[in-house]
Amino acid sequence: MRLILVHLLLLLSDGIIAQIKIEGAVKNSNAEPVAFANVLLYYKQDTLKIIQGTTTDSLGNFRFTQVQNAEFILKIHSIGYVSKQLVIESTNLPVLTLGTITIIENVQQLQTVSIVGKKPVIQQTNNGLVVNTDAVLTQQGGTAADILRGTPTVFVDADGNINLRGKTPLILINGRNSKLDNLNSIPATSIEKIEIITSPGSNYDAEAENGIINIIFKKKKTDGLNGAAVIGTGWGASWRFNSSAMMNYKRGAWNVGLSYDNRLAERTRNAEGTRVNFFLPTNYLLTQDRNDAREEAIHNLRSSIDYTKGKNAAGAEFLLGWQNEQNNETLFSTFQNQAGGFESKNRRFSDEGRKAKQAEIALKYERKLNKEQQLLNFNFSNSFSDGIERTNINSQYLTISNEQTGVPVLQRTSFNDKSSVSNIRVDYTQKMGKGLFESGYKALLRFFDSDFSQENDSNGVFTPIPSLTGKLEFREQVHAWYAQYKFRTKERWDFEFGLRGEQTINEGSVKSQQLNFDNNYYNQFYNLGTGYRLTGQQNLRLSLAKRINRPRLGQLNPFTDITDSLTQRSGNPELLPEISHNAELSHSFSFQKGNLLTRLYYRNSTNSILPFTELNTNGVLFTKPINAGTTNTTGLEMIFAYNIFSFWTSNISASVFNQQIDAKNIEADAVNNVWSWNAKWINDFTINKHFKIQVLSVYNSPVATIQGRTISVYNTDIAFQHKIWKEKARIGFIVTDVFNTQRSGIIWDTNDFSFQRIFKVDTRAALLTFAYTFGTTFKEKLMDNKFSND
């Protein structure tokens, strides 16, 4: 409450002071806008104290508001350019327009890059957040999913499943749909940043019902030969190893890059579950104990080539990934009758092997046309994956004293997956009036072929089960057009209007089961946004949008997973898309030692795609996704960053939201209303210019499902980093899940059964990393300091 009152008092006090406005635009020697340049304003008589600081927008524009009339010094800094300083005389006008300010490239500076300011972990944008992965010390030996575990508003369970504001977000790789979107297979060391986009514009896919997570890979653009290498090793329940290497060469118009990374590990996972079957008196109580031993190997190779000259820019990117996983799982299941007596017990051993290969090619071309800020962009990409999964299952009945009884039951399953995602996109941008007009077309093409089978052993011969064997063929096309206009008034307002139309055409079949389905539909999606600058440091923003959530390929696949024969699951090829209407109101406030962001959001979804579980008469729980009525989500988020002392920076985020799920179309009493909240606290301690400590603490409360809730998840990570060899290298030591508390699970309560299953993965581990860079020198120091471009 004290923080909120201080926040409101500062807002009111700043708003009543009437002062002049100063505005202008920064461009380079080719008359191109310089985005994200640091612009600092000083009084002429005191050049040590910054009055205000800001960054230029995507058009190079900047603005200061409510500044006392005086003589000023204006300083402009941007990486790769010569710093510029201007003297500004006092004026009698309410608005002082400086016009276009030209800054020139600094060829020598490009050889040694100094980063302006201490790089923050989290940066705010108009559309959401940016996570700078190099600043997340606690997850340097992990994956993209591990990075997101410490990201505000994002929840990641023990298996790496991502949840943003109560739903699964759209995952993009370098801004495009891709088959390389498994965040558990992308090492953190290969990522430059992660964008969390909660209010995307019409130029993004409408398939972003609750937001977008965009993974941006590292790519150097400095002249000459530059490179970096990272190696890490550690121990959790067993050994872990990761490494990466990147090399880049730029000369003149050409820029060529090559990188490789891997992640090797042995992992363990344990699960304990209990279930009460209310109407099965002989199989009334089920208890289960499961132990997994996993070996995983992940490799990624990337290369790129770019050419820029004059008005033309072209580039190509190639990505290749392959992974192997071996999982040995032992599951003990015990049934008791309603009186508590022993009924049966079995041990089920599964030997599961997975192999997958992914590849992607992406091409781009940009042409600057004759008019100012008139651009034409063409992008094409194609990614495909080829995966195979084989599982051998041995089930053995046991006596109450764990002695084998009867003949073991042998089964095997297989799953072959070949799928592809292609993007064809054309975008046109042009300055129009006081703003920017954008329009374009995109074709998203997906295909999915999956051979699946389940076979049972009979006297040494495996025979397929017809109802569980077949081939799923799925084809989908999404053709989209969009148009949007953004503009800013001379006063404090900016506006955004967008419209997007999408035609979806899909069809699928499983011939062996005589199953055919198709779903063709056209939707239009609106996007409205407006921002108001309360003061030079405070902004309000409101956005409204309509979105869609199409069933993912895994949700459509009718293949039944029988690894746990008593708790089975499959997809549902009859799923319909989910439609939502979203609203978000945000307020940001920057002050001398930090910033505060608050966001209030609401989402109404119809045809909600949610998993639903039924208890069969044979005691088997069967789960598949269904279209479940409506879901209303209301939430409030806060992100607060503060420089407590010169050596201590703290970033705390909290989110509370209510999910009301109404699935009465499935069951008369299937209504669930749950409040959930989460909090994340990142503390950076800079002991000296070479040594840093980071502590990350996470808490996620239970989240609603149709039939119950998830359990709370919490953990603490700590990392140490020491720079050596004139800051060209660094040594890191990381301990994840220090107190070994991280776990995940579900609790369901229905009229037919109650069910609880808790998973514990070997998240506690100690990792040692070493990183080295050559060519470009990166320095985390303040240049002219005192300004952070959050």
Side-chain angles (χ1 to χ4, degrees), residues 203-233:
N203 55 326
Y204 286 97
D205 291 355
E207 194 174 357
E209 180 190 39
N210 64 314
I212 295 171
I213 293 180
N214 186 22
I215 309 297
I216 307 295
F217 288 130
K218 292 179 178 177
K219 179 188 285 189
K220 293 182 182 292
K221 295 183 178 180
T222 51
D223 281 350
L225 181 64
N226 302 281
V230 180
I231 187 169
T233 186

Side-chain angles (χ1 to χ4, degrees), residues 272-473:
E272 296 180 352
T274 59
R275 190 213 308 171
V276 178
N277 304 317
F278 298 130
F279 302 109
L280 299 176
T282 57
N283 290 331
Y284 184 77
L285 176 63
L286 170 66
T287 58
Q288 292 184 303
D289 184 19
R290 170 175 160 181
N291 297 286
D292 295 5
R294 301 183 177 216
E295 296 180 4
E296 58 185 23
I298 300 169
H299 304 267
N300 296 288
L301 181 67
R302 290 178 297 278
S303 63
S304 63
I305 183 169
D306 297 282
Y307 177 81
T308 304
K309 190 170 185 179
K311 296 183 177 182
N312 297 289
E317 189 174 4
F318 308 92
L319 299 95
L320 180 65
W322 59 100
Q323 58 193 77
N324 295 329
E325 182 178 310
Q326 189 68 36
N327 181 33
N328 295 319
E329 174 186 302
T330 304
L331 174 65
F332 290 91
S333 302
T334 304
F335 273 110
Q336 293 174 271
N337 57 38
Q338 197 164 1
F342 173 81
E343 286 289 330
S344 64
K345 185 176 186 179
N346 70 75
R347 180 190 64 224
R348 190 174 179 87
F349 178 75
S350 301
D351 180 9
E352 178 184 85
R354 298 178 183 175
K355 293 183 178 181
K357 294 180 292 184
Q358 301 94 24
E360 181 174 50
I361 180 173
L363 306 174
K364 63 180 181 180
Y365 173 73
E366 179 182 288
R367 170 71 179 180
K368 297 176 183 177
L369 303 178
N370 295 327
K371 295 183 179 179
E372 183 181 8
Q373 297 178 27
Q374 188 180 26
L375 297 174
L376 182 65
N377 286 280
F378 172 80
N379 289 273
F380 167 81
S381 68
N382 175 258
S383 61
F384 64 90
S385 68
D386 187 351
I388 184 171
E389 178 182 311
R390 298 282 187 268
T391 305
N392 295 312
I393 302 171
N394 182 317
S395 300
Q396 176 68 59
Y397 280 98
L398 304 173
T399 66
I400 193 172
S401 58
N402 288 329
E403 295 178 353
Q404 296 185 12
T405 179
V407 178
V409 177
L410 303 180
Q411 298 172 294
R412 66 186 185 191
T413 64
S414 66
F415 178 55
N416 294 349
D417 163 28
K418 292 185 178 181
S419 55
S420 169
V421 174
S422 298
N423 298 267
I424 303 172
R425 180 168 179 167
V426 180
D427 298 279
Y428 174 77
T429 303
Q430 165 183 329
K431 185 177 180 182
M432 182 179 291
K434 297 180 180 180
L436 195 67
F437 173 75
E438 300 172 86
S439 64
Y441 163 80
K442 178 179 178 180
L444 177 61
L445 312 175
R446 294 188 272 208
F447 88 79
F448 181 66
D449 287 346
S450 174
D451 290 295
F452 56 93
S453 69
Q454 178 181 327
E455 301 173 293
N456 290 345
D457 173 66
S458 177
N459 298 321
V461 178
F462 283 92
T463 304
I465 301 174
S467 62
L468 299 175
T469 301
K471 181 178 182 179
L472 169 66
E473 297 180 345

Side-chain angles (χ1 to χ4, degrees), residues 570-718:
S570 79
N572 180 5
E574 297 180 356
L575 286 175
L576 299 174
E578 177 179 343
I579 301 294
S580 72
H581 294 271
N582 298 4
E584 179 179 302
L585 176 64
S586 66
H587 175 258
S588 62
F589 174 45
S590 297
F591 47 96
Q592 184 176 5
K593 287 192 173 184
N595 55 75
L596 174 65
L597 171 68
T598 54
R599 295 191 297 204
L600 176 68
Y601 64 90
Y602 172 77
R603 180 177 68 244
N604 170 262
S605 303
T606 56
N607 276 342
S608 300
I609 300 174
L610 296 168
F612 186 75
T613 303
E614 294 181 297
L615 176 62
N616 297 331
T617 56
N618 60 358
V620 174
L621 283 185
F622 189 81
T623 302
K624 72 175 181 179
I626 49 91
N627 289 113
T630 62
T631 300
N632 291 312
T633 304
T634 305
L636 176 66
E637 299 169 344
M638 181 194 77
I639 303 172
F640 178 59
Y642 190 72
N643 296 324
I644 300 174
F645 299 108
S646 60
F647 64 89
W648 181 7
T649 300
S650 188
N651 185 303
I652 186 169
S653 63
S655 174
V656 57
F657 63 94
N658 174 263
Q659 271 193 308
Q660 183 171 4
I661 301 173
D662 185 344
K664 288 185 288 190
N665 62 317
I666 306 301
E667 284 188 345
D669 60 347
V671 177
N672 201 359
N673 190 345
V674 174
W675 283 92
S676 303
W677 68 280
N678 60 60
K680 300 181 182 182
W681 191 15
I682 303 173
N683 287 282
D684 282 310
F685 302 93
T686 304
I687 308 304
N688 55 50
K689 67 178 183 178
H690 298 301
F691 188 67
K692 180 188 289 187
I693 302 173
Q694 185 176 89
V695 181
L696 166 67
S697 297
V698 177
Y699 177 84
N700 294 281
S701 78
V703 178
T705 65
I706 295 180
Q707 295 160 294
R709 64 191 186 278
T710 64
I711 69 168
S712 58
V713 180
Y714 48 93
N715 64 278
T716 297
D717 302 333
I718 187 168

Side-chain angles (χ1 to χ4, degrees), residues 14 60 72 168 190 237 279 387 412 549 711 727:
D14 282 351
F72 305 101
T168 301
S190 65
F279 302 109
R412 66 186 185 191
N549 177 25
I711 69 168
E727 300 187 358

